[in-house]
Amino acid sequence: MAKIDHYLRSNLKLRHLQLLVTLDEMRHIGKVANYLNVTQPAISKTLADFEEGLNIKLFDRTTRGMLPTEAGVCLVKYAKKILNEIASARDDLVAISEGRATRIAIGLLPAVSLSILPNFIARVENEMVSTSINAREGSSDVLISLLRTGELDVMIGNLAAKPLGIEFRTKHLYKDPIVVVVKKAHPLVTKQDLTWTDLSEFPMVLPPEFATTRIVIEEFLLCHQVNLSKRYVESLSTLTNIGVLLATESIGFLSFQLADYFKKANLVDILPLTMKNIYIDIGLVWYTERTLTPSQLNIISMLEDTVCISNLK
């Protein structure tokens, strides 16, 4: 215990942390050496000195490459957090030096990229000229992991996904129903007395299996006697989904806000089939232990106001 404490306080360098993270990602000393632009012996010596200083083995050489030990996994986790915090400090210092007093990193689902973010950014630019916004799009699971590591300050995600830990705080914004979408010239657009079973004849564009919406959509379709096509595309990308719908006779499932945006652009139609109680519960999520600045809290308040002004509630 005393040796570990002394080494971490007196001898730990950023290069040690960078080496740990890179080795964990690449699992091969040669690749790490090329990436960090140093020799393989230098990598091996740095790792050996690090392990000797801690008196703990951090990586095992195996036929599958360099695998982290239990201690290695632990240290890599904290190394990522430290490096991310340093990167955030660097970005904040650059922002201050350039006269941009506030910087906030926001993660968001594809479903809200067109319904909230453009109007929100327009408002921020009008009211807070000294603000830098970093927006990252992804699935809820990916965004949550970025919140944990400090790469995001807040996310706009699906609160109906799997329960979050007590380390997160949430705030509901609005519910966005899932609707059935096809291209303008699709045969079902003009079909009289359209029923759910009519969907069985066409391929589909579905969320990936890991997405919360995939499970509820499939269960709903099965309950309404829809034969799920073996011809389907799994995608979380809005542009990919719209591109496939336009190029084929596939049937897609989008949030109403997204579908309405592309309908107004005269690209798709929303079929008159209601998916009762199938929706995305859009809300804010942030990490409880990470203190937000007054300016960042103000930005979160502006996000909520943007939802109200856009009549999304």
Side-chain angles (χ1 to χ4, degrees):
M1 173 65 182
K3 185 173 184 178
I4 293 175
D5 184 66
H6 174 75
Y7 188 86
L8 292 177
R9 290 177 180 275
S10 304
N11 299 93
L12 183 65
K13 304 291 191 296
L14 284 181
R15 60 186 175 87
H16 292 138
L17 303 182
Q18 292 165 342
L19 171 61
L20 282 178
V21 173
T22 308
L23 192 54
D24 179 61
E25 292 173 350
M26 298 185 171
R27 303 294 172 92
H28 191 278
I29 286 182
K31 293 180 180 179
V32 172
N34 289 334
Y35 180 79
L36 297 178
N37 197 29
V38 296
T39 65
Q40 291 189 38
I43 295 293
S44 297
K45 185 177 187 306
T46 301
L47 178 60
D49 290 345
F50 195 9
E51 291 178 325
E52 182 181 354
L54 294 172
N55 194 29
I56 297 176
K57 193 167 186 61
L58 300 175
F59 282 86
D60 288 322
R61 291 179 183 269
T62 73
T63 55
R64 293 176 294 165
M66 301 290 290
L67 297 182
T69 63
E70 183 180 358
V73 170
C74 173
L75 203 51
V76 165
K77 178 180 70 174
Y78 288 104
K80 288 180 179 179
K81 289 183 179 181
I82 293 170
L83 292 174
N84 284 329
E85 289 294 336
I86 291 174
S88 296
R90 175 204 61 205
D91 293 342
D92 286 347
L93 288 172
V94 170
I96 292 171
S97 68
E98 294 177 352
R100 294 179 285 116
T102 301
R103 175 182 174 275
I104 188 167
I106 301 174
L108 61 152
L109 293 177
V112 303
S113 58
L114 293 174
S115 59
I116 296 179
L117 199 65
N119 291 334
F120 166 68
I121 290 178
R123 182 176 177 185
V124 169
E125 288 183 350
N126 288 332
E127 299 183 20
M128 300 179 67
V129 293
S130 59
T131 299
S132 172
I133 299 174
N134 178 12
R136 298 183 64 170
E137 188 176 298
S139 67
S140 289
D141 286 344
V142 170
L143 298 179
I144 285 295
S145 66
L146 294 178
L147 270 180
R148 281 196 172 96
T149 59
E151 294 178 65
L152 294 178
D153 297 307
V154 65
M155 67 171 268
I156 308 172
N158 183 8
L159 301 185
K162 60 186 180 183
L164 300 175
I166 59 173
E167 69 269 31
F168 294 105
R169 291 185 62 187
T170 62
K171 192 162 193 176
H172 168 79
L173 292 177
Y174 66 95
K175 291 182 178 180
D176 198 355
I178 299 295
V179 294
V180 187
V181 180
V182 295
K183 66 181 179 182
K184 301 287 290 185
H186 197 283
L188 293 182
V189 172
T190 55
K191 182 174 175 57
Q192 298 293 320
D193 301 318
L194 181 67
T195 64
W196 283 104
T197 54
D198 292 323
L199 274 58
S200 303
E201 303 174 20
F202 299 92
M204 297 184 178
V205 179
L206 296 168
E209 288 187 354
F210 61 79
T212 306
T213 49
R214 170 65 173 271
I215 300 172
V216 294
I217 288 172
E218 283 192 346
E219 289 180 349
F220 183 91
L221 294 178
L222 290 172
C223 286
H224 288 76
Q225 287 75 53
V226 178
N227 293 323
L228 295 179
S229 171
K230 294 182 179 179
R231 297 174 296 157
Y232 61 84
V233 173
E234 292 184 339
S235 169
L236 199 64
S237 166
T238 300
L239 292 180
T240 297
N241 294 345
I242 295 298
V244 172
L245 293 179
L246 294 180
T248 69
E249 292 189 344
S250 296
I251 296 169
F253 302 87
L254 300 178
S255 72
F256 173 77
Q257 294 299 327
L258 271 183
D260 189 55
Y261 178 90
F262 289 105
K263 181 180 179 181
K264 289 177 179 177
N266 205 35
L267 293 175
V268 302
D269 258 325
I270 301 174
L271 296 181
L273 295 170
T274 302
M275 303 189 76
K276 189 176 180 180
N277 296 325
I278 307 298
Y279 56 84
I280 304 175
D281 188 5
I282 302 297
L284 294 172
V285 184
W286 63 97
Y287 202 59
T288 305
E289 295 181 3
R290 190 167 296 113
T291 302
L292 298 177
T293 66
S295 295
Q296 289 173 333
L297 291 173
N298 185 37
I299 286 177
I300 290 176
S301 177
M302 291 174 66
L303 267 172
E304 297 180 74
D305 291 343
T306 301
V307 170
C308 292
I309 293 172
S310 303
N311 294 317
L312 295 176
K313 281 189 175 292

